[in-house]
Amino acid sequence: MASSTLLPAILQAVMRGQPRALSDAHYPGWHLAPVTGLLNDPNGFIHINGRYHLFYQWNALSCRHQHKCWGHWSSADLLQWQHEPIALMPDEEYDRSGCYSGSAVDNNGALTLVYTGNVKFDDGGRTAWQCLAVENEAGGFDKLGPVIALPDGYTGHVRDPKVWRHGERWYMVLGAQDTQLQGKVLLLCSDDLHTWHNRGEIAGSGLNGLGTAGYMWECPDLFTLGDSTFLICCPQGIAPEEQRFLNAHPSAWLAGDLDYDTARFTHGGFHELDAGFEFYAPQTTLTADGRRLLVGWMGVPAGEEKYQPTIARGWIHQMTCIRELGTRDGKLYQRPVAELQALRGEEHAFQGRAADAPAIPARRLELVLTGTGDVTLNFADTLLLEWHDAGLRLARRSLESGEWHYRYWCGAVTQLQILCDHSSVEIFINEGEGVMSSRYFPAAAAQLRLIGDTEVTARYWPLRRCVVE
C-alpha cells in the first residue's frame, strides 16, 4: 500500500475495528492488545522522563503479517496505559516493506528509536537497514534515516537492534543470519548513535561450543543482572527436544560474561525462557529504581495463529504481563511485576484436598497454589495443567486438528503463581524459576477446577480491568 494512503486506511480500520475487538469475550481485561488488527513483537520498552513507553509491531489493516508500523503506549505506573501517536510507518524507501523491531534509548533526554527498515525486492531478495528516529514536540517521531547498512557476510536477515549505554559508549546487539544460513548475534559500538563499528559475532550457531543452533537468531537483548551477563534471544531453527523447545520458534537465554574490550561473550548452554505454547520476542528495560523488567509477545511465528477465533472479530494477539527479572544460582527468574498487585480484589483462601476446593472464577484471576503435586488444574475444560512429582505438563487441543498438544516444565514444583485473563494463562513456577505462558479460548466465562486428593493451600484474588485510554 502506498505511504500516502496508509495513514487514512489505518484510521478507518481503527474506527471500524475497535468496537468489534473490544466487545469480544476473548479480548483481554488487563493485558495490552491491539485495538484492531495484528500485534506482535514489543519494541522500544523504556522508562524515560518519568514514564514508561512500550512500542509494538502493529498491522492495523488485517490479521496478517504485513504493513508493519510501530504502535505506541505510555504509562506512569505500568497499570494505566494511554495510546500515543503512531511512532513509525513504512513510508520511506529504506523501510518500505515494514518498520521492523528495535529498541529505544534516552539520548540526553531525547527519546530515540533504533529500528530495522525492511526492504523486499520483486525477485524475492531482501535487505535491511538499521535506522534512527527521534521524538518531536508533538509526540510523534522524526526519522533520521539509516545508520547501518547490511554488513558483509550476512543475508538480508539482519534485524532487531537492542541498544544500551555502557561507560562512555553506546552498544548494540543485532540478530543476524550469515551467508552459510547460520544464526548469529553481532555486537556493535558507537560514540554518537550514528557511526557504528561492528565488533563481530558474540554468540550464535557454531560459536562458544553450541554446535548447530538455528538458522536465524532474532530479537537479542543483553544485560547484566547480579554477577552474570544474560543474552536472551529467539533462535529460529533449533532442534526440538522431547520436552523442551517444542514451539516452532522458541525463546532462550544464555548466561555468562561479556568482555567489552575484546568483544568476547563466554557463556553456558541454552535455557528455555518460557515453556508455554505462546511466548516470543521478549524485550527488557531498566526502571528508575534499578529493576530489570521484561515483556513478551504472547504469540509464536508459524504457530496456529491463523486458527485463533479472535480473527473473526478483527484482532489477534496480546502482550504478556510485565515481569521483573532476578537471578539465583546463575539462573534467570521471572516474576509478575509488583505493581500488578494493585489489580487485586478481595482475597479468598482454601486449604484441604484439591478436589474439595470450590470452582474458582478464572476470567481475571491471580492464584497462588502450594502443595506437593498430583493435582490437575482444569481451566474451563480448554486448558489442563497436570502437576506431578517430576514437573508440569500443560495440555491443550490443537485449534487446527483437535489433537492434544503438550508443553513441559521439568523439576520439583512447590508453588505456582497463576495469572489469568479472558484468553490467557501465565504460570510462574517456584517464585519465578520457570514460566509457561499460553493463550486459550474458553467457550464461556472460565472457571478453574482442581482435581486430585493431594492437600493444597490456595490464595486467590479477582483482578480488575485496566482500560487503555
Side-chain angles (χ1 to χ4, degrees), residues 393-415:
R393 185 174 82 161
L394 190 63
R396 187 182 71 181
R397 288 190 183 275
S398 165
L399 293 172
E400 179 182 7
S401 68
E403 298 176 354
W404 284 101
H405 288 174
Y406 302 98
R407 297 293 182 266
Y408 303 87
W409 190 86
C410 298
V413 177
T414 58
Q415 188 223 50

Side-chain angles (χ1 to χ4, degrees), residues 10-200:
I10 290 174
L11 292 174
Q12 184 182 46
V14 170
M15 287 186 288
R16 288 181 173 178
Q18 182 171 350
R20 295 176 62 214
L22 297 184
S23 63
D24 186 356
H26 295 312
Y27 195 85
W30 60 273
H31 285 81
L32 291 166
V35 295
T36 193
L38 178 143
L39 166 149
N40 57 297
D41 302 9
N43 296 154
F45 190 25
I46 191 171
H47 185 265
I48 179 173
N49 299 328
R51 291 189 70 81
Y52 293 93
H53 294 262
L54 179 59
F55 302 82
Y56 56 98
Q57 294 280 284
W58 184 36
N59 174 19
L61 303 182
S62 76
C63 292
R64 296 191 293 256
H65 289 275
Q66 300 173 324
H67 310 300
K68 291 297 178 65
C69 302
W70 275 35
H72 181 192
W73 298 298
S74 75
S75 172
D77 59 5
L78 298 173
L79 296 174
Q80 302 300 322
W81 294 83
Q82 68 182 39
H83 294 290
E84 301 291 350
I86 296 174
L88 300 172
M89 292 193 296
D91 54 8
E92 300 288 347
E93 185 63 24
Y94 53 79
D95 61 15
R96 69 187 191 204
S97 302
C99 297
Y100 277 22
S101 291
S103 53
V105 296
D106 178 352
N107 186 18
N108 295 317
L111 177 54
T112 303
L113 309 182
V114 191
Y115 72 99
T116 299
N118 187 47
V119 178
K120 296 180 180 179
F121 302 115
D122 293 339
D123 63 2
R126 65 194 295 165
T127 192
W129 302 90
Q130 311 312 317
C131 309
L132 296 182
V134 63
E135 188 177 28
N136 56 41
E137 292 182 357
F141 286 81
D142 298 324
K143 292 181 179 178
L144 304 182
V147 293
I148 303 173
L150 192 68
D152 291 337
Y154 298 89
T155 73
H157 291 281
V158 176
R159 55 181 173 266
D160 310 335
K162 179 62 191 292
V163 179
W164 71 98
R165 189 85 174 174
H166 177 77
E168 298 301 315
R169 308 191 81 185
W170 296 103
Y171 288 84
M172 173 194 295
V173 281
L174 192 58
Q177 180 187 69
D178 67 21
T179 52
Q180 286 72 50
L181 307 186
Q182 297 298 299
K184 308 289 184 178
V185 173
L186 310 181
L187 179 70
L188 299 90
C189 63
S190 173
D191 293 324
D192 60 4
L193 293 177
H194 290 267
T195 301
W196 290 88
H197 175 61
N198 187 355
R199 301 292 305 280

Side-chain angles (χ1 to χ4, degrees), residues 4 6 8 37 105 113 181 189 202 299 366 413 422 428 442:
S4 61
L6 186 58
V105 296
L113 309 182
L181 307 186
C189 63
I202 62 166
E366 179 180 356
V413 177
H422 300 161
F428 295 84

Side-chain angles (χ1 to χ4, degrees), residues 216-229:
M216 173 65 191
W217 282 30
E218 292 192 312
C219 306
D221 192 341
L222 189 140
F223 54 89
T224 297
L225 199 61
D227 296 328
S228 297
T229 296

Side-chain angles (χ1 to χ4, degrees), residues 331-335 409-410 412 428-435:
K331 293 182 179 180
L332 189 64
Y333 278 62
Q334 305 172 65
R335 300 187 69 179
W409 190 86
C410 298
F428 295 84
I429 305 156
N430 296 342
E431 297 184 330
E433 183 181 1
V435 193

